């Protein structure tokens, strides 16, 4: 496979970057960032805290020419990340600058549920940006600290790979994987999960159920209010777009409280809720708000209906 030229970037180039240790990280990622700085490109780096510090130190005075984001905060819920990249690309395009970014959503220590959503996020990046302006995005993967399956999946979710030879194509990339992933069922709730059927007349019971169950799990104050607001928005979506009714399930797992909404509606846009809604529109606002308020959100939809699972870490 030959390296892809990137003197000019006519399209979105999305690459995985596999590194073994700190030295290889700084060599590959640092070199990629420094190249963008030397070309006077707009450069955004979204990395976990420790990696941000390493790159800043390595770049020295050039660090001030880079925009930095702490991925452990900005991307704690992976579904929030696409909106951040979209804003970066929009501003870069307005300024007439070439653009490149570094984003590491899947870092060692992430929970398995979060890593699952990181995988879907990586797939959706291609759908979000493939038809837009050209820019470069490299996603580092720590092959020493991450589970082997996560690293292997990165080659299926990224059309390209970036290493010392530059950009090369990945033969295992699967462009149809995003639709299969979005339609795949989530693991089933436990048989003893609390269950509540709701429709428009009984919708108020959803908020009460969320507040009562959250309090019983030790969720209080602003976190409980955020969960209640997010759940209400999803329930309203069920009533308006999911056949007029839905089912709420609540249960607890070690370290987490889970709230699931099920309805008969079908969502065809896998990017729903991941883009910042326009001020003059209403579509996707409920899901977007849930992504902003909840620790993690799983959304899956197929011809069999839609499931939205809200996760609160305890």
């Amino acid at each position: 496979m030959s390296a892809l030229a990137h003197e000019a970037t006519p399209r979105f180039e999305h690459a995985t970057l596999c590194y073994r240790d700190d030295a290889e990280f700084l060599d590959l990622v640092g070199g990629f960032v420094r190249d963008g700085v030397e070309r006077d490109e707009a450069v955004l780096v979204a990395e976990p805290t420790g990696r941000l510090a390493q790159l800043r130190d390595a770049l020295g005075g050039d660090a001030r020419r880079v925009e930095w984001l702490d991925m452990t905060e900005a991307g704690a819920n992976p579904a929030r990340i696409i909106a951040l990249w979209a804003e970066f690309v929009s501003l870069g395009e307005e300024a007439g600058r070439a653009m490149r970014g570094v984003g590491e959503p899947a870092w060692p220590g992430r929970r398995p549920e979060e890593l699952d959503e990181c995988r879907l996020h990586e797939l959706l990046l291609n759908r979000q940006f493939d038809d837009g302006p050209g820019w470069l995005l490299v996603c580092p993967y720590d092959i020493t600290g991450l589970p082997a399956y996560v690293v292997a999946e990165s080659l299926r979710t990224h059309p390209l790979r970036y290493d010392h030879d530059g950009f090369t194509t990945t033969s295992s990339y699967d462009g149809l994987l995003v639709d299969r992933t979005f339609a795949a069922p989530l693991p089933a709730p436990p048989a003893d999960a609390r269950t509540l059927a709701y429709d428009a007349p009984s919708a108020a019971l959803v908020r009460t159920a969320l507040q009562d169950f959250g309090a019983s799990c030790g969720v209080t104050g602003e976190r409980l209010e955020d969960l209640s607001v997010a759940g209400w928005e999803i329930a309203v979506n069920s009533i308006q777009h999911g056949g007029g009714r839905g089912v709420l399930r609540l249960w607890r797992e070690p370290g987490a409280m889970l709230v699931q909404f099920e309805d008969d509606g079908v969502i065809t846009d896998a990017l729903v809720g991941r883009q910042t809604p326009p001020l003059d529109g209403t579509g996707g606002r409920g899901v977007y708000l849930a992504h902003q308020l909840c620790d993690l959100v799983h959304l899956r939809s197929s011809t069999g209906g839609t499931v939205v699972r809200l996760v609160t870490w305890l």
Side-chain angles (χ1 to χ4, degrees):
M1 294 182 293
S2 59
L4 300 176
H6 59 282
E7 293 299 323
T9 310
R11 60 186 300 274
F12 176 51
E13 307 284 13
H14 183 206
T16 182
L17 183 159
C18 298
Y19 67 91
R20 293 178 177 80
D21 51 32
D22 291 353
E24 192 167 32
F25 173 83
L26 290 174
D27 182 29
L28 288 171
V29 180
F32 177 77
V33 172
R34 190 177 295 279
D35 184 51
V37 170
E38 291 175 352
R39 295 168 185 264
D40 196 31
E41 296 177 354
V43 181
L44 171 61
V45 174
E47 282 281 342
T49 309
R51 293 298 184 199
L52 283 179
Q54 288 178 315
L55 284 172
R56 279 195 179 108
D57 289 345
L59 286 172
D62 286 337
R64 68 180 183 277
R65 299 171 62 187
V66 176
E67 183 179 353
W68 305 92
L69 277 180
D70 188 339
M71 187 66 94
T72 56
E73 295 181 3
N77 176 354
R80 301 173 190 160
I81 303 172
I82 282 179
L84 300 175
W85 286 123
E87 181 181 11
F88 167 71
V89 171
S90 177
L91 292 174
E93 190 177 22
E94 287 178 8
R97 301 182 69 189
M99 299 160 284
R100 72 175 61 197
V102 174
E104 187 167 354
W107 60 82
R110 278 278 216 185
R111 300 172 177 88
E113 302 92 335
E114 294 172 318
L115 292 172
D116 288 344
E117 288 305 310
C118 288
R119 176 175 176 270
L120 178 57
H121 157 73
E122 293 281 34
L123 288 164
L124 288 171
L125 280 166
N126 305 311
R127 179 157 295 179
Q128 169 72 24
F129 296 108
D130 273 351
D131 295 329
W135 64 291
L136 306 176
L137 176 60
V138 163
C139 302
Y141 280 76
D142 184 340
I143 64 175
T144 302
L146 287 168
Y149 79 89
V150 174
V151 178
E153 281 296 301
S154 77
L155 298 175
R156 300 181 68 203
T157 59
H158 293 75
L160 304 172
R161 180 171 184 165
Y162 183 84
D163 54 24
H164 293 97
D165 294 323
F167 289 87
T168 56
T169 57
T170 53
S171 59
S172 56
Y173 171 66
D174 185 350
L176 299 178
L177 184 59
V178 61
D179 293 318
R180 297 199 300 273
T181 301
F182 187 65
L186 295 170
D192 61 350
R194 300 186 188 182
T195 302
L196 172 69
Y198 60 89
D199 55 14
S202 61
L205 297 177
V206 170
R207 189 184 292 269
T208 301
L210 289 172
Q211 292 174 339
D212 290 347
F213 189 69
S216 73
C217 293
V219 181
T220 60
E222 185 176 347
R223 297 188 76 214
L224 182 56
E225 181 60 26
D226 286 348
L227 175 63
S228 179
V229 171
W232 173 256
E233 291 288 339
I234 301 302
V236 169
N237 279 353
S238 290
I239 294 168
Q240 293 181 341
H241 308 292
R245 63 185 184 276
V247 175
L248 169 66
R249 304 187 195 278
L250 309 100
W251 72 99
R252 182 173 179 170
E253 294 179 358
M257 169 187 166
L258 297 99
V259 174
Q260 179 163 300
F261 296 84
E262 306 164 10
D263 61 52
D264 294 330
V266 178
I267 296 175
T268 58
D269 181 9
L271 284 162
V272 65
R274 294 171 184 261
Q275 303 149 316
T276 304
L279 294 177
D280 58 350
T282 58
R285 285 189 177 275
V287 178
Y288 176 82
L289 185 61
H291 281 312
Q292 306 311 306
L293 296 177
C294 296
D295 293 335
L296 191 67
V297 178
H298 303 281
L299 191 159
R300 303 291 185 269
S301 189
S302 68
T303 55
T306 294
V307 172
V308 181
R309 183 175 294 179
L310 312 180
V311 182
T312 300
W313 305 123
L314 302 177

